[in-house]
């Protein structure tokens, strides 16, 4: 038997990276999983891996910057599985470059995906989580407490997510719903593809790890393990679990 046998879990942004690793980890622990993403082919591949681990899986191809998708993800999950126990808000994007060169459409898309989407997914999930005494994990970043040139607005969105998580935890504690964040350091995944070239990613990984993150890039599987830990830690709410490869000791 797995630690999350028959629990119903939503993992957004689960077609690759941290979301993929998290969905598979829950599947291996007996959960029923909803996976979401924009790329149908990659999402189907992740769903198949979850099924091979023994899970029942619901695939939802959607764009979470479209407001109507948010309630749809929650409703379809409850329709398919009859309940909701865990929401993992993992989907996100970033902007690389100075504020002076940022365009309005880039800013709006970032805020819609990194801030608006998790907030309203939580809103629509709460009535169902209240019934199951469930929990929420918001995937933030260790950059939430730091300001890096060229990543200012991304850092802002993650600071907002940390503060939102603490506030929501205080609102939900009486209902038995726990809300936490996990704050990864640099994890090299498809997340960086739209931001940097392949060579830039290689250089960024090497240089950043050497100068800022002494233990190197964090494996996505370790972040997934941290998420599962928070979902099973019945005394943790309103907290941030930092897994940053030593970034915080500089």
């Amino acid at each position: 038997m797995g630690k999350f046998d028959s629990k119903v879990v939503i993992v957004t942004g689960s077609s690759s990276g941290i979301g993929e690793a998290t969905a598979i980890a829950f599947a291996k622990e007996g959960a029923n999983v909803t996976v979401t993403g924009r790329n149908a082919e990659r999402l189907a591949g992740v769903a198949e891996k979850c099924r091979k681990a023994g899970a029942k899986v619901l695939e939802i191809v959607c764009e979470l910057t479209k407001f109507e998708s948010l309630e749809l993800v929650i409703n379809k999950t409850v329709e398919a599985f009859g309940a909701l126990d865990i929401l993992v808000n993992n989907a996100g994007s970033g902007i690389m470059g100075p504020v002076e060169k940022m365009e309005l459409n880039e800013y709006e898309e970032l805020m819609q995906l990194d801030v608006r989407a998790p907030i309203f997914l939580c809103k629509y999930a709460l009535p169902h989580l209240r019934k199951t005494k469930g929990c929420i994990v918001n995937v933030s970043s260790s950059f939430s407490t730091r300001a890096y040139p060229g990543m200012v607005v991304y850092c802002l969105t993650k600071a907002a997510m940390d503060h939102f998580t603490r506030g929501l935890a205080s609102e939900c504690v009486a209902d038995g719903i726990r809300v936490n964040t996990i704050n990864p350091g640099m994890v090299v995944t498809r997340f960086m593809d739209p931001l940097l070239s392949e060579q830039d990613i290689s250089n960024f990984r090497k240089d950043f790890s050497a100068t800022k993150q002494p233990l190197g890039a964090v494996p996505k599987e370790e972040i997934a393990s941290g998420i599962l830990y928070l979902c099973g830690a019945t005394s943790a709410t309103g907290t941030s679990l930092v897994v940053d490869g030593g970034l915080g000791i500089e």
Side-chain angles (χ1 to χ4, degrees), residues 38-233:
R38 292 175 292 187
N39 186 298
E41 184 177 353
R42 287 205 300 265
L43 193 66
V46 173
E48 183 58 26
K49 292 176 184 177
C50 291
R51 290 188 182 100
K52 286 181 178 178
K56 294 179 182 177
V57 184
L58 174 65
E59 300 167 54
I60 302 178
V61 179
C62 63
E63 173 54 75
L64 295 180
T65 57
K66 294 182 178 179
F67 189 76
E68 62 271 18
S69 294
L70 306 177
E71 191 170 14
L72 177 145
V73 167
I74 303 301
N75 289 345
K76 280 190 172 294
T77 298
V78 175
E79 288 170 9
F81 297 119
L84 177 62
D85 297 280
I86 297 168
L87 170 64
V88 179
N89 281 312
N90 168 72
S93 64
I95 297 174
M96 293 289 286
V99 170
E100 186 177 9
K101 294 184 178 181
M102 182 175 58
E103 299 294 337
L104 177 61
N105 66 307
E106 294 176 322
Y107 168 81
E108 289 182 338
E109 183 173 351
L110 181 68
M111 296 301 289
Q112 287 166 3
L113 186 56
D114 287 23
V115 180
R116 187 179 74 175
I119 288 173
F120 278 87
L121 283 164
C122 289
K123 167 188 166 64
Y124 296 129
L126 286 175
H128 307 288
L129 295 173
R130 191 171 292 116
K131 296 175 185 177
T132 59
K133 306 297 181 185
C135 66
I136 298 167
V137 176
N138 294 317
V139 179
S140 180
S141 170
S142 58
F143 289 12
S144 66
T145 59
R146 297 161 180 270
Y148 289 104
M151 299 184 72
V152 174
V153 180
Y154 173 75
C155 294
L156 178 154
T157 67
K158 295 307 180 182
M161 191 47 49
D162 284 3
H163 201 58
F164 168 72
T165 297
R166 289 188 291 269
L168 186 61
S170 68
E171 285 189 356
C172 293
V173 68
D175 292 322
I177 302 171
R178 296 179 299 105
V179 191
N180 295 292
T181 66
I182 189 162
N183 297 61
M186 190 189 71
V187 183
V188 179
T189 66
R190 287 182 180 273
F191 172 85
M192 289 187 173
D193 286 356
L195 309 180
L196 302 168
S197 70
E198 186 174 339
Q199 186 58 51
D200 286 339
I201 290 172
S202 177
N203 292 339
F204 182 72
R205 179 175 185 170
K206 179 180 178 182
D207 295 342
F208 189 90
S209 297
T211 59
K212 301 289 187 181
Q213 197 163 295
L215 295 182
V218 179
K220 61 185 180 181
E221 292 80 10
E222 290 194 9
I223 304 304
S225 294
I227 291 170
L228 266 67
Y229 165 77
L230 287 171
C231 292

